[in-house]
Amino acid sequence: MSRNILIVDDEEDVQAIAKLGLEMGAGWNVLTACSGREALNIAANFKLDVILLDMMMPDMDGRATLQQLKANPVTQSIPVILLTAKVQDSDRNSFTGLDVAAVFAKPFRPLKLAAQISEALSWRSS
């Protein structure tokens, strides 16, 4: 079953690597956004199965983007997985209470990303 994934990251190389891993590894449809504002627009206009959201972005960070996604009835039910380079115990505490499906560490392994997403969301392999 093909999935629709949105990758939100201000680093184009991270987007490209994740997109390649998900398209080649799982055959999923991947959309990309460079900013929180762009992500909100895409999420409101496309049927998405999950959003991979970078925490550290200029202008509108991942936390602000997540709050707006969850505040909009059109996008609030889309599962969100945070991508972050900050995975120390002290950093993890800042994610407590956020309405996210999972938190993935950067750098990630592109060819294992689809399996990680599927596991986090309890998707069965097709």
Side-chain angles (χ1 to χ4, degrees), residues 57-73:
M57 296 184 292
D59 300 324
M60 179 185 252
D61 69 3
R63 185 178 298 268
T65 304
L66 178 66
Q67 287 171 337
Q68 291 205 26
L69 285 167
K70 295 303 178 182
N72 182 341

Side-chain angles (χ1 to χ4, degrees), residues 2-7 14-32 50 52 83 104 108-118 123:
S2 189
R3 303 281 186 178
N4 294 313
I5 315 297
L6 173 59
I7 300 168
V14 172
Q15 284 183 20
I17 288 170
K19 182 175 167 81
L20 196 64
L22 295 174
E23 287 177 343
M24 289 179 59
W28 291 349
N29 302 315
V30 180
L31 299 166
T32 58
V50 66
L52 299 183
L83 294 174
F104 290 174
F108 50 83
R109 312 244 332 247
L111 295 176
K112 296 195 183 258
L113 192 54
Q116 286 180 291
I117 292 168
S118 295
W123 289 347

Side-chain angles (χ1 to χ4, degrees), residues 3-6 22 28 48-52 70 77-82 99-104 113-125:
R3 303 281 186 178
N4 294 313
I5 315 297
L6 173 59
L22 295 174
W28 291 349
L48 300 172
D49 293 297
V50 66
I51 298 171
L52 299 183
K70 295 303 178 182
S77 64
I78 303 169
V80 176
I81 295 175
L82 297 181
D99 186 6
V100 295
V103 178
F104 290 174
L113 192 54
Q116 286 180 291
I117 292 168
S118 295
E119 184 178 335
L121 299 175
S122 301
W123 289 347
R124 290 205 178 98
S125 302

